[in-house]
Every structure is written in structure tokens, then in C-alpha cells.
């Protein structure tokens, strides 16, 4: 069979990324331009600044990805792009770019759901194929799904309020660690005492859905009561206590779902899965129950275009292409 090479573009939040992916498995190149230094000034992602920076960087990022892969716009078989969910202005930059390339070169255009991308990242380094259960933990999503086939998902549980990553970001800001919250909390937690603060950890009653807003509010209340007493909070202890509570909650819900459904294989994906404490807790939890565990390495957990190229390959093989009226969408269901 002829090799299928896909140029993939991702611009849904604060990373401008492009990759060339061969046959849905081999990453010929993966280029990421991060906007972290820009948004650090403001303590979080400023959507309008993100869009402008994507616009400025996208051509160069695509050129680097093609050069690194020793490919060209002419030599790839299809153009893939994240169509949503994400920041609308940021998404539009990638979608407009992908449409222009596909139209000019007469190549097929593939629109990928960002979460389909995060889950597909697991295929890069592991020999795993559906069915398996997957927990996606990112800045915008906390979703526990059954992966029934490539690109086919069945929702088991999700967060109705703050996603896990969002809670990391908000708590980091509140304890003065700033943006980007996840990596900063992980670093601070290494020298903190996870038992220092008693944080709410609701028991599971019926639904397996997640909720992190109560935990976030509890942290804010503790910080305020320290402030009112004129006392300093130990940032590392709070980071460690918060991180442990998030890990325990995610583990409890996921292990219960695995047990109920007799799952044999489990994957952990999304930006928060870059957290080593979380990854190792899940690895140990799954191994103790004889469940095979898979998780992409950190560079494929956080936003990248390689994962979009993998998801796009499976759409390519199914003939799922987009017309030139493809538009970016801030919210799109996965299921
Ligand atoms: O998947 P992602 O890169 O973008 C979205 O799709 O949202 O995830 C970003 C989220 C942010 O909330 C960030 O704080 C979190 O992932 N994150 C982490 C770590 N690295 C990124 N959370 C905890 N520990 C980390 N090491
Ligand atoms: Zn993401």
C-alpha cells in the first residue's frame, strides 16, 4: 500500500503546531511554537493575543515541520487541522490556513476534534488498539470514555464544571505560582507535604462524573482565612495537597469504572497527563489490578500537531473529508 503522509495543524489554544505523520503511526516531524512567555505577562491565556501570535507564527511553523520531515506541500497526501473545541479566534487561524493549502493544492482536507487528537496520541508510542478505556485530562476537558474503535467514543463520565487542568491553573494563580499552572504545581508539590491540608474529596454516589470546583473553592477559602489572620501559606504544601486530592479523585472514579466494565486496557491522555505524579499513580493503580496501562510521553500529552495527524489518518482511511465550508467551532461534542 502507498504511504499516506498527512500535514497536520493545531492552533486551538496557546501552541502553534504543525507535524507530518506517516501512515497514522510514524511522526516524521513535530514542531511546536509555544506562547507561554507571552501569556505569562498576563497570568493566563489572552485569546486575542493568542490569535494574533498564531497568525504571525503559523507559516514558519508549517515550513519547519515540512523541512524537518524532508517533505513539501506538494508531497503530502492530505491537510489536517483541529476544527474545535478551543478558542475560536485561535482555531480560525489554523482552519483558514489548512483550507487555503488544501484548496490551492487540490488536496483533501480533514477536520479533527481536539480530544480525538489527545486520545490518538496514545497510538504514537504504544502498540495499543481499540477497545480500551481512556481518561482525557486537559485544560478544557475531564472525560472518561470507552474507545470502541479509532475515532469512536462512548462517554462514561465527565466534569460538569472546572476541568482538571483548569483547576490546576486557577489554584496555581491563587497560591501565587502563576501561569502555566499545571507544571508549576507539579514542581512545587515535589517538596510539599500532601497531608498538610485537608481538602474535600467527595465520595462517589451513583454517577461517576467529576467535579473540581468544590476543591478549588476550598483552596481559595483556606488562602483567604490565612490572609485574614495575616499568616503565610506554605505554597509547596498546598500544591502537594491539592495535587494529591486531584490524583486520588481521578483514580477512584477511573478504577471504579474499569472494575464495573471489566476493562483490561487503560490510557491516560491530555495536558494534565504530562504530570508524572498522576501518570505514576495510574500506572501503579492499573498494574495492581492487572490492567495494561498506556500514556503518551509528556510532549505528546500537551498540545501538539502529531496527535492531530494520527487522528486524521483514521479519518482519511474512512474517507471522512471536509468541504471548503469547514468552519472552526468553539464547542463541539465528541460523542
Ligand atoms: O491538553 P492541553 O495542553 O491543552 C488543552 O487542550 O487544554 O492541556 C493544558 C492543561 C493546562 O490546564 C495545564 O495547566 C495542564 O494541562 N498541565 C498540567 C501539566 N502540564 C500541563 N497539569 C498538571 N501537571 C502538569 N505537569
Ligand atoms: Zn489540548
Amino acid at each position: 500500500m502507498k504511504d499516506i503522509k498527512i500535514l497536520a495543524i493545531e492552533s486551538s489554544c496557546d501552541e502553534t503546531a504543525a507535524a507530518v505523520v506517516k501512515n497514522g503511526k510514524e511522526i516524521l516531524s513535530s514542531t511546536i511554537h509555544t506562547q507561554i512567555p507571552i501569556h505569562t505577562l498576563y497570568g493566563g491565556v489572552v485569546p486575542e493575543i493568542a490569535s494574533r501570535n498564531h497568525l504571525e507564527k503559523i507559516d514558519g511553523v508549517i515550513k519547519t515541520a515540512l523541512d524537518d520531515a524532508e517533505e513539501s506541500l506538494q508531497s503530502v497526501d492530505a491537510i489536517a487541522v483541529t476544527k474545535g473545541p478551543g478558542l475560536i479566534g485561535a482555531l480560525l487561524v489554523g482552519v483558514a490556513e489548512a483550507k487555503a493549502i488544501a484548496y490551492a493544492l487540490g488536496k483533501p482536507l480533514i477536520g479533527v476534534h481536539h480530544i480525538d487528537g489527545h486520545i490518538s496520541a496514545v497510538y504514537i508510542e504504544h502498540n495499543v488498539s481499540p477497545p480500551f478505556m481512556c481518561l482525557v485530562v486537559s485544560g478544557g476537558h475531564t472525560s472518561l470514555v470507552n474507545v470502541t474503535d479509532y475515532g469512536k467514543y462512548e462517554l462514561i463520565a465527565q466534569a460538569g464544571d472546572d476541568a482538571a487542568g483548569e483547576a490546576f491553573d486557577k489554584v496555581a494563580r491563587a497560591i501565587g505560582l502563576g501561569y502555566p499552572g499545571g507544571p508549576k504545581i507539579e514542581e512545587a508539590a515535589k517538596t510539599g507535604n500532601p497531608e498538610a491540608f485537608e481538602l474535600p474529596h467527595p465520595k462517589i454516589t451513583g454517577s461517576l462524573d467529576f467535579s473540581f470546583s468544590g476543591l478549588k473553592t476550598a483552596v481559595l477559602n483556606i488562602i483567604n482565612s490565612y490572609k485574614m489572620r495575616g499568616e503565610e501559606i506554605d505554597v509547596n504544601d498546598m500544591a502537594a495537597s491539592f495535587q494529591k486530592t486531584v490524583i486520588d479523585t481521578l483514580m477512584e472514579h477511573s478504577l471504579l469504572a474499569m472494575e464495573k466494565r471489566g476493562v483490561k486496557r487503560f490510557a491516560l491522555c491530555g495536558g494534565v497527563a504530562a504530570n508524572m505524579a498522576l501518570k505514576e499513580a495510574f500506572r501503579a493503580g492499573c498494574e495492581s489490578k492487572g490492567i495494561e496501562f498506556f500514556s503518551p510521553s509528556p510532549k505528546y500529552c500537551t498540545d501538539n500537531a502529531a496527535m492531530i495527524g494520527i487522528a486524521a489518518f483514521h479519518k482519511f482511511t474512512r474517507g471522512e473529508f471536509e468541504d471548503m465550508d469547514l468552519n472552526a467551532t468553539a464547542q463541539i461534542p465528541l460523542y
Side-chain angles (χ1 to χ4, degrees), residues 198-259:
E198 208 172 302
L199 297 172
H201 184 171
K203 283 268 158 292
I204 300 170
T205 50
S207 161
L208 284 172
D209 283 344
F210 306 93
S211 170
F212 292 106
S213 74
L215 171 61
K216 176 198 68 188
T217 308
V219 173
L220 297 181
N221 287 342
I222 295 172
I223 294 169
N224 284 338
S225 66
Y226 268 66
K227 269 192 194 146
M228 273 167 12
R229 294 198 301 269
E231 289 173 28
E232 285 271 319
I233 203 153
D234 187 308
V235 170
N236 297 347
D237 282 354
M238 181 52 96
S241 303
F242 166 77
Q243 181 173 283
K244 180 178 184 299
T245 310
V246 173
I247 294 175
D248 288 351
T249 306
L250 292 173
M251 291 263 295
E252 273 173 30
H253 288 238
S254 305
L255 285 171
L256 190 58
M258 287 183 236
E259 199 177 297

Short mmCIF file of all heavy atoms in Angstrom, two decimals, residues 198-259:
data_model
loop_
_atom_site.label_atom_id
_atom_site.label_comp_id
_atom_site.label_asym_id
_atom_site.label_seq_id
_atom_site.Cartn_x
_atom_site.Cartn_y
_atom_site.Cartn_z
N GLU A 198 -6.23 19.48 54.70
CA GLU A 198 -7.30 18.51 54.45
C GLU A 198 -8.28 19.14 53.46
O GLU A 198 -8.93 20.14 53.78
CB GLU A 198 -8.00 18.19 55.76
CG GLU A 198 -8.58 16.78 55.71
CD GLU A 198 -9.09 16.38 57.07
OE1 GLU A 198 -8.28 16.38 58.03
OE2 GLU A 198 -10.30 16.10 57.15
N LEU A 199 -8.33 18.59 52.27
CA LEU A 199 -9.17 19.16 51.23
C LEU A 199 -10.35 18.23 50.93
O LEU A 199 -10.23 17.02 51.09
CB LEU A 199 -8.34 19.39 49.96
CG LEU A 199 -7.20 20.41 50.14
CD1 LEU A 199 -6.29 20.45 48.92
CD2 LEU A 199 -7.77 21.81 50.41
N PRO A 200 -11.49 18.81 50.47
CA PRO A 200 -12.68 17.97 50.26
C PRO A 200 -12.47 16.96 49.14
O PRO A 200 -11.86 17.25 48.11
CB PRO A 200 -13.76 18.98 49.85
CG PRO A 200 -13.02 20.18 49.38
CD PRO A 200 -11.72 20.21 50.11
N HIS A 201 -12.99 15.80 49.40
CA HIS A 201 -12.78 14.69 48.50
C HIS A 201 -14.08 13.89 48.51
O HIS A 201 -14.19 12.89 49.23
CB HIS A 201 -11.59 13.90 49.07
CG HIS A 201 -11.19 12.76 48.22
ND1 HIS A 201 -10.06 12.04 48.45
CD2 HIS A 201 -11.76 12.22 47.15
CE1 HIS A 201 -9.95 11.09 47.55
NE2 HIS A 201 -10.97 11.19 46.75
N PRO A 202 -15.08 14.37 47.74
CA PRO A 202 -16.41 13.77 47.86
C PRO A 202 -16.44 12.29 47.50
O PRO A 202 -15.74 11.86 46.58
CB PRO A 202 -17.26 14.57 46.87
CG PRO A 202 -16.40 15.64 46.34
CD PRO A 202 -14.99 15.38 46.71
N LYS A 203 -17.22 11.53 48.25
CA LYS A 203 -17.41 10.09 47.96
C LYS A 203 -18.24 9.95 46.69
O LYS A 203 -19.09 10.80 46.40
CB LYS A 203 -18.17 9.42 49.12
CG LYS A 203 -17.29 9.16 50.34
CD LYS A 203 -16.67 7.77 50.28
CE LYS A 203 -15.42 7.61 51.13
NZ LYS A 203 -14.22 8.34 50.72
N ILE A 204 -18.01 8.89 45.95
CA ILE A 204 -18.78 8.67 44.72
C ILE A 204 -20.16 8.13 45.10
O ILE A 204 -20.26 7.13 45.81
CB ILE A 204 -18.07 7.65 43.80
CG1 ILE A 204 -16.67 8.18 43.42
CG2 ILE A 204 -18.90 7.36 42.56
CD1 ILE A 204 -15.78 7.19 42.73
N THR A 205 -21.18 8.85 44.63
CA THR A 205 -22.54 8.37 44.91
C THR A 205 -23.28 8.25 43.59
O THR A 205 -23.74 9.25 43.05
CB THR A 205 -23.29 9.34 45.84
OG1 THR A 205 -23.15 10.64 45.27
CG2 THR A 205 -22.80 9.33 47.27
N GLY A 206 -23.34 7.07 43.06
CA GLY A 206 -24.04 6.86 41.78
C GLY A 206 -23.22 7.28 40.59
O GLY A 206 -22.39 6.52 40.10
N SER A 207 -23.41 8.52 40.13
CA SER A 207 -22.73 8.99 38.92
C SER A 207 -21.22 9.03 39.09
O SER A 207 -20.70 9.37 40.16
CB SER A 207 -23.24 10.39 38.58
OG SER A 207 -22.34 11.03 37.72
N LEU A 208 -20.51 8.71 38.02
CA LEU A 208 -19.04 8.76 38.06
C LEU A 208 -18.51 10.11 37.59
O LEU A 208 -17.30 10.29 37.46
CB LEU A 208 -18.46 7.63 37.19
CG LEU A 208 -18.53 6.23 37.77
CD1 LEU A 208 -18.11 5.19 36.74
CD2 LEU A 208 -17.67 6.10 39.03
N ASP A 209 -19.42 11.06 37.33
CA ASP A 209 -18.98 12.38 36.86
C ASP A 209 -18.03 13.05 37.86
O ASP A 209 -18.11 12.81 39.06
CB ASP A 209 -20.19 13.30 36.61
CG ASP A 209 -20.89 12.96 35.30
OD1 ASP A 209 -20.28 12.25 34.48
OD2 ASP A 209 -22.04 13.40 35.11
N PHE A 210 -17.16 13.90 37.33
CA PHE A 210 -16.16 14.59 38.17
C PHE A 210 -16.63 16.01 38.48
O PHE A 210 -17.36 16.61 37.68
CB PHE A 210 -14.83 14.71 37.41
CG PHE A 210 -14.29 13.40 36.88
CD1 PHE A 210 -14.59 12.99 35.59
CD2 PHE A 210 -13.49 12.61 37.68
CE1 PHE A 210 -14.08 11.80 35.09
CE2 PHE A 210 -12.98 11.41 37.19
CZ PHE A 210 -13.28 11.00 35.89
N SER A 211 -16.15 16.55 39.59
CA SER A 211 -16.37 17.96 39.88
C SER A 211 -15.16 18.47 40.66
O SER A 211 -14.81 17.93 41.70
CB SER A 211 -17.64 18.15 40.71
OG SER A 211 -17.68 19.48 41.15
N PHE A 212 -14.51 19.50 40.12
CA PHE A 212 -13.33 20.05 40.81
C PHE A 212 -13.57 21.46 41.33
O PHE A 212 -12.67 22.05 41.91
CB PHE A 212 -12.11 20.04 39.87
CG PHE A 212 -11.64 18.64 39.57
CD1 PHE A 212 -11.88 18.06 38.34
CD2 PHE A 212 -10.99 17.89 40.54
CE1 PHE A 212 -11.47 16.76 38.07
CE2 PHE A 212 -10.58 16.59 40.29
CZ PHE A 212 -10.82 16.02 39.05
N SER A 213 -14.80 21.99 41.16
CA SER A 213 -14.98 23.38 41.58
C SER A 213 -15.05 23.48 43.11
O SER A 213 -14.58 24.47 43.68
CB SER A 213 -16.20 24.00 40.91
OG SER A 213 -17.37 23.49 41.49
N GLY A 214 -15.57 22.44 43.79
CA GLY A 214 -15.62 22.46 45.26
C GLY A 214 -14.21 22.44 45.83
O GLY A 214 -13.89 23.15 46.80
N LEU A 215 -13.34 21.67 45.22
CA LEU A 215 -11.94 21.58 45.66
C LEU A 215 -11.25 22.93 45.49
O LEU A 215 -10.57 23.42 46.40
CB LEU A 215 -11.25 20.48 44.84
CG LEU A 215 -9.74 20.37 44.99
CD1 LEU A 215 -9.34 20.06 46.42
CD2 LEU A 215 -9.20 19.26 44.06
N LYS A 216 -11.49 23.54 44.32
CA LYS A 216 -10.88 24.85 44.04
C LYS A 216 -11.36 25.88 45.06
O LYS A 216 -10.56 26.64 45.63
CB LYS A 216 -11.27 25.27 42.62
CG LYS A 216 -10.81 26.64 42.22
CD LYS A 216 -11.60 27.14 41.03
CE LYS A 216 -13.05 27.42 41.38
NZ LYS A 216 -13.90 27.73 40.25
N THR A 217 -12.67 25.87 45.35
CA THR A 217 -13.23 26.83 46.31
C THR A 217 -12.64 26.60 47.70
O THR A 217 -12.33 27.56 48.42
CB THR A 217 -14.77 26.70 46.35
OG1 THR A 217 -15.23 26.79 45.01
CG2 THR A 217 -15.42 27.77 47.19
N ALA A 218 -12.46 25.33 48.07
CA ALA A 218 -11.89 25.02 49.40
C ALA A 218 -10.48 25.59 49.51
O ALA A 218 -10.11 26.18 50.55
CB ALA A 218 -11.87 23.51 49.62
N VAL A 219 -9.70 25.47 48.43
CA VAL A 219 -8.33 26.03 48.45
C VAL A 219 -8.41 27.54 48.61
O VAL A 219 -7.69 28.13 49.44
CB VAL A 219 -7.56 25.64 47.16
CG1 VAL A 219 -6.21 26.37 47.10
CG2 VAL A 219 -7.36 24.14 47.06
N LEU A 220 -9.31 28.17 47.85
CA LEU A 220 -9.44 29.64 47.94
C LEU A 220 -9.84 30.08 49.34
O LEU A 220 -9.33 31.07 49.87
CB LEU A 220 -10.47 30.15 46.92
CG LEU A 220 -10.12 29.93 45.44
CD1 LEU A 220 -11.20 30.49 44.52
CD2 LEU A 220 -8.78 30.56 45.08
N ASN A 221 -10.76 29.31 49.97
CA ASN A 221 -11.20 29.65 51.33
C ASN A 221 -10.05 29.55 52.33
O ASN A 221 -9.90 30.40 53.21
CB ASN A 221 -12.35 28.74 51.78
CG ASN A 221 -13.64 29.10 51.06
OD1 ASN A 221 -13.76 30.20 50.51
ND2 ASN A 221 -14.59 28.17 51.04
N ILE A 222 -9.23 28.52 52.19
CA ILE A 222 -8.08 28.37 53.11
C ILE A 222 -7.12 29.54 52.93
O ILE A 222 -6.65 30.15 53.89
CB ILE A 222 -7.37 27.01 52.88
CG1 ILE A 222 -8.30 25.86 53.25
CG2 ILE A 222 -6.06 26.94 53.68
CD1 ILE A 222 -7.79 24.46 52.90
N ILE A 223 -6.87 29.90 51.66
CA ILE A 223 -5.95 31.02 51.39
C ILE A 223 -6.49 32.30 52.03
O ILE A 223 -5.76 33.04 52.69
CB ILE A 223 -5.78 31.22 49.85
CG1 ILE A 223 -5.07 30.00 49.26
CG2 ILE A 223 -4.99 32.49 49.54
CD1 ILE A 223 -5.07 29.95 47.76
N ASN A 224 -7.81 32.53 51.87
CA ASN A 224 -8.41 33.74 52.45
C ASN A 224 -8.32 33.75 53.96
O ASN A 224 -8.03 34.78 54.57
CB ASN A 224 -9.87 33.87 52.02
CG ASN A 224 -9.94 34.36 50.59
OD1 ASN A 224 -8.99 34.96 50.10
ND2 ASN A 224 -11.05 34.07 49.92
N SER A 225 -8.55 32.59 54.58
CA SER A 225 -8.51 32.58 56.05
C SER A 225 -7.08 32.82 56.55
O SER A 225 -6.87 33.48 57.56
CB SER A 225 -9.12 31.30 56.62
OG SER A 225 -8.32 30.21 56.27
N TYR A 226 -6.08 32.33 55.81
CA TYR A 226 -4.68 32.62 56.17
C TYR A 226 -4.41 34.12 56.06
O TYR A 226 -3.80 34.72 56.92
CB TYR A 226 -3.71 31.84 55.27
CG TYR A 226 -3.31 30.50 55.85
CD1 TYR A 226 -4.24 29.49 56.02
CD2 TYR A 226 -2.00 30.27 56.25
CE1 TYR A 226 -3.88 28.26 56.55
CE2 TYR A 226 -1.62 29.03 56.79
CZ TYR A 226 -2.57 28.04 56.93
OH TYR A 226 -2.20 26.84 57.46
N LYS A 227 -4.91 34.69 54.94
CA LYS A 227 -4.69 36.14 54.69
C LYS A 227 -5.29 36.96 55.81
O LYS A 227 -4.68 37.90 56.31
CB LYS A 227 -5.35 36.54 53.36
CG LYS A 227 -4.41 36.43 52.19
CD LYS A 227 -5.00 37.12 50.96
CE LYS A 227 -4.22 36.71 49.72
NZ LYS A 227 -5.07 36.61 48.53
N MET A 228 -6.54 36.57 56.23
CA MET A 228 -7.23 37.34 57.27
C MET A 228 -6.48 37.28 58.59
O MET A 228 -6.49 38.22 59.37
CB MET A 228 -8.66 36.83 57.42
CG MET A 228 -9.53 37.55 56.44
SD MET A 228 -11.18 36.95 56.12
CE MET A 228 -11.60 35.80 57.29
N ARG A 229 -5.80 36.16 58.82
CA ARG A 229 -5.03 36.02 60.07
C ARG A 229 -3.62 36.61 59.91
O ARG A 229 -2.81 36.56 60.82
CB ARG A 229 -4.91 34.54 60.46
CG ARG A 229 -6.24 33.89 60.83
CD ARG A 229 -6.02 32.59 61.62
NE ARG A 229 -5.24 31.60 60.89
CZ ARG A 229 -5.79 30.67 60.10
NH1 ARG A 229 -7.10 30.63 59.94
NH2 ARG A 229 -5.03 29.80 59.48
N GLY A 230 -3.33 37.10 58.69
CA GLY A 230 -2.01 37.67 58.43
C GLY A 230 -0.91 36.62 58.40
O GLY A 230 0.26 36.93 58.66
N GLU A 231 -1.30 35.37 58.09
CA GLU A 231 -0.28 34.30 58.05
C GLU A 231 0.06 33.94 56.61
O GLU A 231 -0.75 34.10 55.72
CB GLU A 231 -0.84 33.04 58.73
CG GLU A 231 -0.96 33.15 60.23
CD GLU A 231 -1.68 31.93 60.83
OE1 GLU A 231 -1.59 30.84 60.22
OE2 GLU A 231 -2.33 32.09 61.87
N GLU A 232 1.26 33.42 56.41
CA GLU A 232 1.71 32.99 55.08
C GLU A 232 1.35 31.52 54.88
O GLU A 232 1.58 30.70 55.78
CB GLU A 232 3.25 33.07 55.01
CG GLU A 232 3.80 34.46 54.88
CD GLU A 232 3.92 34.87 53.42
OE1 GLU A 232 4.34 34.05 52.60
OE2 GLU A 232 3.57 36.04 53.13
N ILE A 233 0.84 31.21 53.72
CA ILE A 233 0.53 29.81 53.44
C ILE A 233 1.80 29.14 52.88
O ILE A 233 2.59 29.79 52.20
CB ILE A 233 -0.64 29.72 52.44
CG1 ILE A 233 -1.34 28.38 52.56
CG2 ILE A 233 -0.22 29.94 51.01
CD1 ILE A 233 -2.78 28.43 52.16
N ASP A 234 1.99 27.87 53.21
CA ASP A 234 3.12 27.16 52.62
C ASP A 234 2.70 26.68 51.23
O ASP A 234 1.88 25.77 51.08
CB ASP A 234 3.54 25.97 53.49
CG ASP A 234 4.82 25.33 52.98
OD1 ASP A 234 4.88 24.99 51.77
OD2 ASP A 234 5.76 25.18 53.76
N VAL A 235 3.24 27.36 50.22
CA VAL A 235 2.82 27.12 48.83
C VAL A 235 3.08 25.67 48.41
O VAL A 235 2.24 25.04 47.75
CB VAL A 235 3.55 28.12 47.90
CG1 VAL A 235 3.35 27.76 46.43
CG2 VAL A 235 3.06 29.54 48.16
N ASN A 236 4.23 25.14 48.79
CA ASN A 236 4.57 23.77 48.37
C ASN A 236 3.62 22.76 49.02
O ASN A 236 3.20 21.79 48.38
CB ASN A 236 6.02 23.44 48.73
CG ASN A 236 6.99 24.33 47.97
OD1 ASN A 236 6.59 25.01 47.04
ND2 ASN A 236 8.25 24.32 48.39
N ASP A 237 3.28 23.00 50.29
CA ASP A 237 2.35 22.09 50.97
C ASP A 237 0.97 22.14 50.32
O ASP A 237 0.32 21.11 50.13
CB ASP A 237 2.20 22.48 52.46
CG ASP A 237 3.39 22.01 53.30
OD1 ASP A 237 4.25 21.28 52.73
OD2 ASP A 237 3.45 22.36 54.49
N MET A 238 0.53 23.35 49.97
CA MET A 238 -0.80 23.47 49.33
C MET A 238 -0.78 22.81 47.95
O MET A 238 -1.72 22.11 47.57
CB MET A 238 -1.22 24.95 49.24
CG MET A 238 -2.59 25.15 48.63
SD MET A 238 -3.89 24.15 49.43
CE MET A 238 -4.55 25.34 50.60
N ALA A 239 0.31 23.04 47.19
CA ALA A 239 0.41 22.43 45.85
C ALA A 239 0.35 20.91 45.98
O ALA A 239 -0.36 20.23 45.23
CB ALA A 239 1.71 22.87 45.19
N ALA A 240 1.08 20.36 46.96
CA ALA A 240 1.13 18.90 47.13
C ALA A 240 -0.23 18.36 47.57
O ALA A 240 -0.68 17.31 47.10
CB ALA A 240 2.21 18.54 48.14
N SER A 241 -0.90 19.07 48.49
CA SER A 241 -2.21 18.61 48.99
C SER A 241 -3.25 18.65 47.88
O SER A 241 -4.04 17.72 47.71
CB SER A 241 -2.68 19.49 50.15
OG SER A 241 -1.72 19.50 51.18
N PHE A 242 -3.23 19.73 47.11
CA PHE A 242 -4.18 19.87 46.00
C PHE A 242 -3.93 18.78 44.95
O PHE A 242 -4.86 18.09 44.52
CB PHE A 242 -4.03 21.27 45.37
CG PHE A 242 -4.71 21.40 44.04
CD1 PHE A 242 -6.09 21.55 43.95
CD2 PHE A 242 -3.97 21.34 42.86
CE1 PHE A 242 -6.71 21.64 42.70
CE2 PHE A 242 -4.59 21.42 41.62
CZ PHE A 242 -5.97 21.57 41.55
N GLN A 243 -2.67 18.63 44.56
CA GLN A 243 -2.35 17.65 43.51
C GLN A 243 -2.75 16.24 43.94
O GLN A 243 -3.31 15.48 43.17
CB GLN A 243 -0.85 17.70 43.20
CG GLN A 243 -0.42 16.73 42.12
CD GLN A 243 1.02 16.93 41.70
OE1 GLN A 243 1.36 17.85 40.97
NE2 GLN A 243 1.89 16.07 42.19
N LYS A 244 -2.50 15.92 45.20
CA LYS A 244 -2.84 14.58 45.69
C LYS A 244 -4.36 14.36 45.64
O LYS A 244 -4.83 13.29 45.27
CB LYS A 244 -2.32 14.38 47.12
CG LYS A 244 -2.65 13.00 47.66
CD LYS A 244 -2.12 12.75 49.05
CE LYS A 244 -2.38 11.31 49.49
NZ LYS A 244 -3.79 10.96 49.54
N THR A 245 -5.11 15.40 46.02
CA THR A 245 -6.58 15.25 46.00
C THR A 245 -7.09 15.04 44.58
O THR A 245 -7.97 14.21 44.34
CB THR A 245 -7.24 16.49 46.65
OG1 THR A 245 -6.61 16.73 47.90
CG2 THR A 245 -8.72 16.29 46.87
N VAL A 246 -6.52 15.78 43.62
CA VAL A 246 -6.94 15.60 42.22
C VAL A 246 -6.60 14.18 41.77
O VAL A 246 -7.43 13.49 41.16
CB VAL A 246 -6.26 16.64 41.29
CG1 VAL A 246 -6.58 16.35 39.83
CG2 VAL A 246 -6.71 18.05 41.65
N ILE A 247 -5.39 13.74 42.07
CA ILE A 247 -4.97 12.39 41.65
C ILE A 247 -5.90 11.33 42.26
O ILE A 247 -6.40 10.45 41.57
CB ILE A 247 -3.49 12.12 42.04
CG1 ILE A 247 -2.57 13.05 41.25
CG2 ILE A 247 -3.13 10.65 41.81
CD1 ILE A 247 -1.10 12.97 41.63
N ASP A 248 -6.14 11.44 43.57
CA ASP A 248 -7.00 10.45 44.25
C ASP A 248 -8.39 10.42 43.62
O ASP A 248 -8.95 9.34 43.40
CB ASP A 248 -7.13 10.79 45.75
CG ASP A 248 -5.84 10.51 46.51
OD1 ASP A 248 -4.92 9.90 45.90
OD2 ASP A 248 -5.74 10.89 47.69
N THR A 249 -8.93 11.60 43.33
CA THR A 249 -10.29 11.67 42.76
C THR A 249 -10.32 11.03 41.36
O THR A 249 -11.19 10.20 41.07
CB THR A 249 -10.75 13.15 42.67
OG1 THR A 249 -10.61 13.73 43.96
CG2 THR A 249 -12.18 13.28 42.20
N LEU A 250 -9.38 11.41 40.52
CA LEU A 250 -9.35 10.86 39.15
C LEU A 250 -9.18 9.33 39.19
O LEU A 250 -9.83 8.60 38.44
CB LEU A 250 -8.20 11.48 38.34
CG LEU A 250 -8.35 12.97 37.99
CD1 LEU A 250 -7.07 13.50 37.35
CD2 LEU A 250 -9.54 13.21 37.05
N MET A 251 -8.33 8.87 40.12
CA MET A 251 -8.06 7.42 40.23
C MET A 251 -9.30 6.66 40.70
O MET A 251 -9.64 5.62 40.15
CB MET A 251 -6.95 7.18 41.26
CG MET A 251 -5.60 7.66 40.81
SD MET A 251 -4.66 6.32 40.12
CE MET A 251 -4.45 5.31 41.55
N GLU A 252 -9.94 7.19 41.73
CA GLU A 252 -11.10 6.49 42.29
C GLU A 252 -12.19 6.30 41.26
O GLU A 252 -12.73 5.21 41.10
CB GLU A 252 -11.67 7.29 43.47
CG GLU A 252 -11.00 6.95 44.78
CD GLU A 252 -11.46 7.87 45.90
OE1 GLU A 252 -12.63 8.34 45.85
OE2 GLU A 252 -10.65 8.13 46.78
N HIS A 253 -12.50 7.39 40.54
CA HIS A 253 -13.56 7.32 39.52
C HIS A 253 -13.16 6.35 38.41
O HIS A 253 -13.97 5.53 37.97
CB HIS A 253 -13.82 8.70 38.92
CG HIS A 253 -14.53 9.63 39.86
ND1 HIS A 253 -15.73 10.22 39.53
CD2 HIS A 253 -14.21 10.09 41.09
CE1 HIS A 253 -16.12 11.00 40.54
NE2 HIS A 253 -15.20 10.93 41.50
N SER A 254 -11.93 6.45 37.96
CA SER A 254 -11.50 5.63 36.82
C SER A 254 -11.41 4.16 37.20
O SER A 254 -11.86 3.28 36.45
CB SER A 254 -10.14 6.11 36.30
OG SER A 254 -10.20 7.48 36.01
N LEU A 255 -10.84 3.87 38.37
CA LEU A 255 -10.70 2.46 38.77
C LEU A 255 -12.07 1.80 38.98
O LEU A 255 -12.26 0.64 38.63
CB LEU A 255 -9.82 2.33 40.03
CG LEU A 255 -8.32 2.53 39.77
CD1 LEU A 255 -7.54 2.62 41.08
CD2 LEU A 255 -7.72 1.43 38.89
N LEU A 256 -13.00 2.58 39.52
CA LEU A 256 -14.35 2.03 39.71
C LEU A 256 -15.00 1.73 38.35
O LEU A 256 -15.61 0.67 38.16
CB LEU A 256 -15.20 3.03 40.52
CG LEU A 256 -16.55 2.53 41.00
CD1 LEU A 256 -16.39 1.29 41.88
CD2 LEU A 256 -17.29 3.62 41.79
N ALA A 257 -14.82 2.66 37.40
CA ALA A 257 -15.38 2.44 36.04
C ALA A 257 -14.73 1.22 35.39
O ALA A 257 -15.40 0.43 34.74
CB ALA A 257 -15.15 3.68 35.18
N MET A 258 -13.43 1.05 35.59
CA MET A 258 -12.71 -0.09 34.98
C MET A 258 -13.23 -1.40 35.56
O MET A 258 -13.47 -2.37 34.85
CB MET A 258 -11.20 0.02 35.25
CG MET A 258 -10.51 1.07 34.45
SD MET A 258 -8.73 1.04 34.77
CE MET A 258 -8.43 2.70 35.30
N GLU A 259 -13.42 -1.38 36.89
CA GLU A 259 -13.89 -2.58 37.58
C GLU A 259 -15.30 -2.96 37.11
O GLU A 259 -15.57 -4.11 36.77
CB GLU A 259 -13.90 -2.27 39.08
CG GLU A 259 -13.91 -3.49 39.98
CD GLU A 259 -13.84 -3.02 41.43
OE1 GLU A 259 -12.82 -2.39 41.79
OE2 GLU A 259 -14.81 -3.24 42.16
#
